[in-house]
Amino acid sequence: MKKFGVLVVLALLVVGVLGVQAQDSPVELRIAWYDDGNEGTVLRDLLDRFEADNADIRVIVDTVPYQTILDQLPLQVEAGEAPDMARVSAGERYRGFYLDLRPYVADPAYWEASFPAAVLQWLRESGEESDALYGFPNQFTVTGPFINRTLFEQAGVDVPSDSSDAVTWEQWTEAAAAVAEVTGVYGIAIDRSGHRVAGPAFTEGATFFAEDGSVTIDTPGFRTFAQLLLDWHSSGLTPAEVWVGSGGTYAAGAPFFISGELAVYMSGSWQIGNFATNIGDAFDWEAVPNPTGDGGSTGMPGGTAFVAFAQTEHPEEVARVMDYLASEDIYREFVERTLFIPGHQGLGELDYQTDVPAAQQSLQVFAAEALKLSDQAYELQYGGEAFAINNPIRDRLTQAITGELTLDDAIARIQEDVDAALAAAAAS
Amino acid sequence: MRTVLDFLTNTRGRKRLTYSDLLTYLYLMLGTLLMFGPVVWLVLSSFKSQTEILSFPPRLLPYRQETMAVEGYDEPLALYNVTFDDGTTRQLAQVRRVGIEAQMVDPANPTEVIRVNINQRAPLEYIYFGLENYEEGITSFDFLLYLWNSVIVTFFATILTLLINSMAAFALSKYQFRGRDTIMFMTIGTLMVPLSVILIPVFLVITRIGWNNNLLGVIIPAAATPTGVFLLRQYMLTIPDELIDSARIDGASEWRIYLQIILPLARPALAVLAIFSIMWRWNDFLWPLIVLSRSELFTLQIGLRTFQGELNVEWNLVLAMTVLTLLPITLVFAFLQKYITSGIATTGMK
Amino acid sequence: MAPSARASDRRTHRPGFSLRTLFSPITWLLSLVYDGIVNVVDFIMHPLQNVLGVRRMAYIFVLPNLLIFAIFILLPMILNFYYAFTGGTNLFPEDRPYVGMENLNTLFTCGNFLDPNTCRADIFWRALINTGGYVVSQVTLTILLSLISALALNKGLIGRGFFRSAFFYPVLLSPVVVALIWKWILQQDGLFNALIVSLGGDRQPFLLSAQWAQAWVVVISVWAQMGFYTLILLAGLQAIPGELYEAASIDGASPWQSFRSITLPMLMPTMFVVIVLSIIRAVQIFDQVFAFTGGGPGTATTYMVQYIYSVGFSNQQNQYGLASAASLVMAFALLLLTAVQLWLGRRNEAT
């Protein structure tokens, strides 16, 4: 009996060991990715075609929650556990960890000609005088407002941008309030994000960056827009869920706009695909140009970069994948199918694959907006200090909205938080 | 007042049903409703479509709108009961909705488009428990693989936890040795430190060992639970030493005593720890998220999160997938609830 | 050989169809495997025991647990301590500049310790105050409701097994799921607001006003945890000998008197365990609230662990030093709290 038991155990052990076997396979490359819409599906489709022509490479896309890209990917990269490639929204976070693709790609000149210098420089260490190619923008975004024209019509309120090229935020607020008054919907909303607030603040005349490289939050322009945002909340013009009900994270006002409960919605070009799918032609929606103010008229640039990490063991294969995805035809197909604004300068006319006219119209509006972004907006997005500025603006303004802080205190706190974050980063 | 006082002092074993018993029943039933109600609501909601989920006021049961194929239209159209200004009611199919106005047709006469204010129509609906959310959820990510990973992690982590915790508890309860009190003190001390607070250094340790993107990195670190050691030790203290002594006299080795006397006798406490360990590992989220970044290693709890992108949350899928993650643990509980609840009650925290 | 689990099973085995007969081949096979394992282990360990002696085997038994404990809990705690005195945003300790007391200074620079707005780390102080309020209300409510439920279950009514399980069920749910379920019920368009509207009331901002959110955070964590404490208190109640009550009623004691002079004192040791455990858990509150309100509105439900998490981890700032310093403060507070409780417990026992 005893011996039989011993035999059973040994047999189980042998089975266990044999179960684990290594096997040969092509070079495996990994992409850390997150999805907003259908871009993951399109990417997979493009990669399948790549793999069919390149049997020696297999590309695995690890789709993770957006929050993971923000919070965990930096840790993994720093710990030496970086994926081979990634889609990142904060390119400055991984400076120093990128793989220079210049020695590996077929035609570096094509990369330099196709992708905006500001984005390429964004990925380089600050003050780095180099021509290194660390990645390319696979999506370019611009912030700007959308309107629900049907609601305006039902309320009998004129859409301000129909009659003027220079509408102010105050005029939009007034018009939105009039629509809300008549139809009982919310008037105006903006995503809970420092990045989203920055465009209107610059428009109102805010300047964050001085010549000497210092960062100052407290300017009359910033105060103007912050006060406007507070007024939207105190007058009930905006749904409180977005800024007040969302705790410490980013929150979008999109659900309110999609359900037709919102007249004016300040967000950005990345919503177009979302709206085309979820609104379609249920009501008339469209993008309108960014308002105008003391600081001119600007949104914020943004988007994601597709980057390669230096920790990869297969730089040549990585470069082949990157080259493929950056190539003109593939890039064109990617943006046409995802309804992204391209971060590629040489594509010419695009044939977006949507049968929703509002989506086509909005893409054109945002393409025009992309050309009139201010220097301050570019500096904030690509200068490398966005991580220290955007979140404090978001969190402290929320405190001002809920009444925990006065606007004066909130602005002072933003400045303190920004200074502390920049100091901590500088100490490294 | 009398009944309340009765309630406070009653012991078991009464035969008559008194007012205080009725009050107790009322309390227990209300409690049960409160405990199960929210979960039932979640399950009911998980069958609803995204549109229905976002509509107000929400309804108890999931509904689906009646549709009909109408000549001249590719897709089936949704049916509504429309009440006209003159009080007549007709059944019409909606072609599209533009703001507060709906363009509708009579299925019998599909060429004539009738414009109707949306407030004048009421959808024709029927109760429908569809599995579309579940199907879409399961197929849109590698459900079976993530399920498998979750099962692997939960199973091996629980076995390991039971083994090493009971070994330690045995030593701490049945032996006199140097350092025993120190180990005991440290064990209780760490009950107080939440993992989320030391996340960065633990991640550092895992990285140095090289267990990133390895299920071992999820299984091993959490195995030495202070709660488990504490619980098992308290229980083993109640096992009489004479049993051990007589076994020693019979020539049994210490390991034989542990495996053949202590473990069987500690089964109630082991069962309690087992269910807690299953629960902890199955529900674990923050830790696997940091250790695992390769999708073929994801556990169910991580996989679920990919529905929450930067832009919008697909509530219908999130709810359906949440129900699926609840299911196994609920089933385990349903089968073992007697052992679990009586186990906790008898092991107690003495 | 010592009596094994198997042997006792056989003794209680009754004839007739049961699940047990159905599973008996499996049980038999399992016991065979188990015997095999015992023999293999014995084969390896017996010689070791002969070398080390009986008492030193204790070290072998604690070793695996201790090893894992030391590497994955103790070592990180020591590292954490070191982090608290370093600055910068680097992950590896060797890359981090030593800054001495700077992080602790940042936390404790206050114009007026009663007003978070005058502190440099204002959110830290808000989190501290919020945590204090949460712990007091959550623990009080948990213990009160657990006690009432345990008393109700202790009455020996028909169906108490079912009710016991029902009250325990939420304990099994993950904090994230608990948060999701309740968020789903409490949102502006949720079930509760629909009920209120159908009864003719106005929608309440359950998750949008600081007071409501703070209250609901307490309610849902009581909902999720009280089943566990109910069971422990129930065990305590059942351990009280019934003769005590009989003797008391013969002496003419009123129900209230016997509750106060028998139930409460006899339950005190169990109650003590419940209080200690629930306070420790309450101070550590994190995942549930993080998924429920995210700490908002504003900072109304931002508690200590979330503060630590967001300073160190999320929010893209990675100030690990500051986060570690805050966690030191928290660990110290917990230690102090436990010491006070132990002291109170000892004093209670002495009197």
Side-chain angles (χ1 to χ4, degrees):
Chain A
M1 199 61 169
K2 263 190 182 183
K3 275 183 186 155
F4 185 67
V6 175
L7 278 177
V8 170
V9 172
L10 284 179
L12 284 176
L13 278 177
V14 170
V15 171
V17 171
L18 288 180
V20 187
Q21 275 187 337
Q23 51 180 5
D24 286 337
S25 57
V27 170
E28 230 179 54
L29 300 179
R30 289 185 170 271
I31 302 176
W33 187 265
Y34 73 91
D35 269 344
D36 271 340
N38 70 339
E39 60 267 32
T41 320
V42 177
L43 177 78
R44 187 66 257 171
D45 194 27
L46 297 174
L47 287 174
D48 285 344
R49 269 149 52 190
F50 175 81
E51 285 175 356
D53 295 338
N54 298 269
D56 59 327
I57 298 180
R58 213 175 126 232
V59 188
I60 299 169
V61 181
D62 293 315
T63 305
V64 296
Y66 176 62
Q67 202 62 33
T68 307
I69 296 273
L70 280 188
D71 294 349
Q72 271 88 36
L73 187 63
L75 263 186
Q76 279 153 0
V77 170
E78 203 177 341
E81 296 288 330
D84 299 294
M85 290 161 274
R87 176 192 189 190
V88 298
S89 59
E92 73 274 11
R93 291 266 279 158
Y94 311 91
R95 283 178 182 172
F97 290 102
Y98 294 126
L99 170 72
D100 183 7
L101 295 162
R102 181 172 283 273
Y104 304 104
V105 294
D107 181 10
Y110 164 78
W111 282 57
E112 280 171 358
S114 303
F115 303 116
V119 181
L120 296 179
Q121 186 62 36
W122 179 35
L123 306 173
R124 297 171 188 146
E125 302 221 38
S126 65
E128 179 183 344
E129 293 286 331
S130 92
D131 57 358
L133 299 172
Y134 293 128
F136 65 89
N138 59 350
Q139 175 189 22
F140 187 77
T141 61
V142 194
T143 64
F146 293 88
I147 61 162
N148 181 333
R149 185 173 283 276
T150 305
L151 285 174
F152 275 86
E153 282 167 6
Q154 285 171 4
V157 175
D158 290 334
V159 175
S161 58
D162 287 353
S163 53
S164 163
D165 290 337
V167 187
T168 62
W169 275 106
E170 289 74 13
Q171 285 168 320
W172 275 115
T173 304
E174 222 170 279
V179 173
E181 178 80 38
V182 177
T183 56
V185 298
Y186 288 111
I188 195 164
I190 181 168
D191 293 334
R192 183 171 190 269
S193 148
H195 176 262
R196 229 67 81 238
V197 168
F202 291 142
T203 296
E204 295 283 14
T207 49
F208 291 167
F209 307 99
E211 292 281 329
D212 59 1
S214 65
V215 178
T216 313
I217 302 299
D218 191 1
T219 58
F222 185 77
R223 273 176 184 274
T224 308
F225 187 71
Q227 186 60 52
L228 195 61
L229 179 65
L230 260 56
D231 293 343
W232 290 352
H233 282 90
S234 60
S235 61
L237 201 57
T238 198
E241 279 93 329
V242 182
W243 278 75
V244 179
S246 303
T249 55
Y250 164 82
F256 293 93
F257 189 74
I258 290 173
S259 63
E261 295 173 88
L262 184 59
V264 179
Y265 172 41
M266 173 63 193
S267 189
S269 56
W270 59 93
Q271 299 282 11
I272 294 172
N274 185 21
F275 291 167
T277 315
N278 291 310
I279 303 175
D281 58 2
F283 56 80
D284 289 335
W285 57 277
E286 65 186 64
V288 293
N290 273 301
T292 307
D294 292 348
S297 168
T298 185
M300 273 292 293
T304 57
F306 196 68
V307 295
F309 288 106
Q311 289 160 27
T312 181
E313 287 166 11
H314 312 286
E316 285 172 27
E317 285 82 359
V318 165
R320 273 162 64 196
V321 176
M322 299 282 287
D323 237 352
Y324 168 77
L325 291 173
S327 66
E328 199 177 318
D329 291 346
I330 297 300
Y331 197 107
R332 177 193 304 277
E333 182 178 341
F334 181 73
V335 292
E336 283 177 351
R337 286 172 66 184
T338 54
L339 307 189
F340 283 179
I341 293 182
H344 190 298
Q345 295 162 333
L347 296 181
E349 196 72 0
L350 288 166
D351 176 23
Y352 282 112
Q353 294 180 15
T354 173
D355 49 10
V356 181
Q360 301 278 11
Q361 175 272 346
S362 301
L363 283 161
Q364 276 172 16
V365 170
F366 281 112
E369 285 299 300
L371 302 175
K372 47 176 248 207
L373 300 171
S374 77
D375 292 345
Q376 287 279 327
Y378 268 104
E379 175 70 24
L380 175 58
Q381 179 62 21
Y382 298 117
E385 284 154 343
F387 77 95
I389 297 173
N390 286 339
N391 286 341
I393 287 181
R394 177 193 74 194
D395 293 338
R396 296 302 188 177
L397 284 185
T398 306
Q399 284 185 283
I401 291 168
T402 60
E404 283 176 15
L405 296 176
T406 62
L407 184 57
D408 285 339
D409 284 345
I411 290 175
R413 287 289 180 186
I414 295 171
Q415 187 71 49
E416 278 175 30
D417 290 351
V418 171
D419 292 343
L422 290 178
S428 298
Chain B
M1 197 57 200
R2 185 80 209 161
T3 53
V4 173
L5 292 177
D6 259 7
F7 170 76
L8 289 173
T9 52
N10 247 332
T11 50
R12 297 186 299 154
R14 289 249 193 112
K15 293 283 181 282
R16 276 177 304 119
L17 207 62
T18 62
Y19 279 119
S20 107
D21 288 342
L22 284 178
L23 198 75
T24 313
Y25 266 124
L26 200 69
Y27 175 83
L28 290 175
M29 283 181 201
L30 194 73
T32 307
L33 186 74
L34 279 177
M35 293 301 164
F36 282 137
V39 181
V40 172
W41 176 241
L42 172 82
V43 174
L44 287 176
S45 303
S46 74
F47 291 101
K48 295 176 179 172
S49 67
Q50 174 85 338
T51 335
E52 197 181 357
I53 274 173
L54 294 179
S55 69
F56 185 87
R59 290 176 295 187
L60 199 59
L61 295 172
Y63 289 85
R64 209 39 63 103
Q65 190 162 4
E66 206 90 56
T67 57
M68 182 184 255
V70 178
E71 207 179 314
Y73 295 95
D74 298 337
E75 302 281 325
L77 300 180
L79 288 181
Y80 289 85
N81 270 327
V82 179
T83 314
F84 288 96
D85 292 335
D86 55 10
T88 55
T89 308
R90 278 170 76 186
Q91 207 178 86
L92 297 181
Q94 176 172 301
V95 179
R96 67 187 283 250
R97 173 191 155 182
V98 184
I100 53 169
E101 198 180 74
Q103 299 170 1
M104 314 194 86
V105 292
D106 190 333
N109 176 19
T111 48
E112 181 201 357
V113 173
I114 307 162
R115 291 172 191 278
V116 179
N117 185 297
I118 55 168
N119 294 325
Q120 291 176 320
R121 32 153 238 184
L124 267 175
E125 290 170 317
Y126 57 101
I127 295 171
Y128 178 74
F129 283 87
L131 292 176
E132 285 85 354
N133 291 337
Y134 289 86
E135 274 170 31
E136 196 186 336
I138 289 174
T139 49
S140 68
F141 70 120
D142 214 336
F143 180 79
L144 283 179
L145 179 69
Y146 298 168
L147 178 73
W148 175 245
N149 288 334
S150 273
V151 169
I152 293 277
V153 167
T154 306
F155 180 78
F156 283 105
T158 300
I159 297 283
L160 188 68
T161 301
L162 289 179
L163 184 70
I164 66 172
N165 282 1
S166 64
M167 281 164 62
F170 174 48
L172 291 172
S173 61
K174 294 297 174 195
Y175 292 89
Q176 297 286 337
F177 61 96
R178 273 183 64 183
R180 190 183 73 168
D181 292 341
T182 319
I183 295 175
M184 205 53 220
F185 178 76
M186 285 194 313
T187 308
I188 296 176
T190 46
L191 267 176
M192 290 182 279
V193 182
L195 177 75
S196 27
V197 163
I198 51 169
L199 218 47
I200 301 281
V202 188
F203 176 75
L204 194 69
V205 171
I206 294 273
T207 304
R208 285 280 154 91
I209 296 175
W211 277 351
N212 261 307
N213 278 315
N214 190 328
L215 287 184
L216 283 179
V218 183
I219 293 172
I220 307 277
T225 65
T227 322
V229 175
F230 186 64
L231 186 118
L232 291 174
R233 174 186 174 265
Q234 297 304 92
Y235 192 82
M236 287 178 186
L237 284 176
T238 65
I239 296 174
D241 288 344
E242 291 80 32
L243 276 180
I244 298 170
D245 290 337
S246 63
R248 277 188 191 139
I249 291 166
D250 289 345
S253 73
E254 298 306 299
W255 274 87
R256 198 173 276 281
I257 291 171
Y258 161 71
L259 287 170
Q260 287 193 319
I261 300 178
I262 300 295
L263 280 192
L265 287 176
R267 272 203 302 190
L270 286 172
V272 172
L273 180 58
I275 184 71
F276 273 107
S277 172
I278 290 174
M279 179 180 102
W280 289 330
R281 297 290 83 80
W282 185 264
N283 291 335
D284 217 355
F285 169 65
L286 196 56
W287 185 236
L289 189 63
I290 288 166
V291 177
L292 309 173
S293 57
R294 301 191 163 182
S295 48
E296 71 265 26
L297 296 172
F298 281 178
T299 59
L300 217 44
Q301 301 285 355
I302 305 181
L304 245 176
R305 278 323 158 81
T306 45
F307 292 114
Q308 287 157 323
E310 186 184 358
L311 279 179
N312 55 358
V313 179
E314 295 182 78
W315 273 108
N316 54 337
L317 301 187
V318 171
L319 296 181
M321 293 301 100
T322 306
V323 172
L324 278 189
T325 61
L326 280 184
L327 213 57
I329 212 145
T330 307
L331 284 180
V332 169
F333 180 64
F335 282 113
L336 299 178
Q337 46 98 2
K338 226 178 100 191
Y339 296 99
I340 295 159
T341 51
S342 66
I344 290 173
T346 50
T347 41
M349 292 266 172
K350 285 172 187 157
Chain C
M1 205 176 96
S4 75
R6 207 164 28 85
S8 64
D9 276 356
R10 240 181 257 137
R11 244 176 281 131
T12 55
H13 189 268
R14 270 161 289 158
F17 180 80
S18 73
L19 273 182
R20 201 160 269 172
T21 49
L22 193 69
F23 284 121
S24 63
I26 300 173
T27 322
W28 177 77
L29 198 72
L30 279 181
S31 63
L32 210 66
V33 172
Y34 193 75
D35 276 356
I37 294 174
V38 172
N39 288 326
V40 170
V41 172
D42 194 40
F43 182 74
I44 300 167
M45 288 297 174
H46 219 136
L48 189 67
Q49 184 180 330
N50 291 340
V51 176
L52 287 177
V54 170
R55 264 176 68 194
R56 290 210 190 92
M57 284 309 278
Y59 291 108
I60 305 288
F61 279 112
V62 281
L63 191 67
N65 202 73
L66 199 61
L67 213 61
I68 295 181
F69 176 81
I71 296 175
F72 295 106
I73 299 179
L74 210 57
L75 180 64
M77 279 168 69
I78 296 168
L79 279 172
N80 196 57
F81 190 79
Y82 176 74
Y83 270 79
F85 300 97
T86 58
T89 57
N90 282 327
L91 174 64
F92 292 107
E94 60 268 30
D95 302 334
R96 299 179 59 82
Y98 179 79
V99 296
M101 302 297 285
E102 200 183 298
N103 291 319
L104 283 167
N105 273 338
T106 305
L107 291 180
F108 284 96
T109 307
C110 270
N112 167 10
F113 280 95
L114 293 177
D115 180 7
N117 281 343
T118 63
C119 299
R120 223 169 107 195
D122 58 329
I123 312 275
F124 171 79
W125 289 95
R126 284 177 192 276
L128 207 64
I129 293 169
N130 289 344
T131 309
Y134 169 81
V135 170
V136 170
S137 46
Q138 200 265 356
V139 170
T140 315
L141 207 60
T142 304
I143 289 183
L144 202 68
L145 286 174
S146 303
L147 183 62
I148 294 175
S149 308
L151 288 168
L153 289 169
N154 194 37
K155 292 193 66 165
L157 296 172
I158 299 160
R160 69 175 181 282
F162 167 76
F163 288 124
R164 198 170 58 177
S165 300
F167 276 63
F168 186 75
Y169 180 65
V171 176
L172 295 171
L173 307 182
S174 85
V176 177
V177 169
V178 169
L180 189 98
I181 292 176
W182 282 97
K183 199 173 175 174
W184 184 237
I185 290 175
L186 292 170
Q187 59 178 334
Q188 286 305 89
D189 289 346
L191 184 65
F192 276 14
N193 270 325
L195 285 178
I196 293 175
V197 169
S198 71
L199 294 174
D202 285 330
R203 284 192 215 192
Q204 294 298 310
F206 290 129
L207 299 171
L208 300 179
S209 97
Q211 286 78 20
W212 271 122
Q214 283 171 341
W216 279 113
V217 164
V218 171
V219 170
I220 70 164
S221 62
V222 171
W223 179 83
Q225 291 172 15
M226 64 173 274
F228 180 67
Y229 300 113
T230 301
L231 284 186
I232 295 179
L233 286 175
L234 182 61
L237 284 176
Q238 289 177 345
I240 303 175
E243 300 88 61
L244 287 180
Y245 292 104
E246 282 160 31
S249 71
I250 289 168
D251 289 350
S254 75
W256 176 245
Q257 276 172 331
S258 43
F259 176 73
R260 269 198 49 191
S261 53
I262 301 173
T263 313
L264 271 188
M266 294 291 284
L267 202 57
M268 255 351 255
T270 321
M271 191 70 105
F272 180 68
V273 172
V274 169
I275 293 174
V276 172
L277 284 180
S278 58
I279 289 183
I280 290 175
R281 281 197 67 178
V283 175
Q284 297 181 357
I285 181 84
F286 172 54
D287 332 27
Q288 201 167 292
V289 180
F290 193 58
F292 182 57
T293 62
T299 56
T301 57
T302 299
Y303 302 112
M304 275 313 287
V305 175
Q306 192 191 323
Y307 170 78
I308 293 165
Y309 182 79
S310 67
V311 169
F313 235 112
S314 63
N315 249 357
Q316 307 188 22
Q317 311 215 337
N318 300 21
Q319 299 185 35
Y320 306 138
L322 197 59
S324 301
S327 72
L328 279 193
V329 175
M330 189 179 129
F332 184 74
L334 266 173
L335 216 63
L336 213 66
L337 253 174
T338 318
V340 169
Q341 285 170 342
L342 282 176
W343 178 71
L344 282 176
R346 286 264 162 79
R347 216 185 51 167
N348 236 8
E349 270 169 35
T351 52

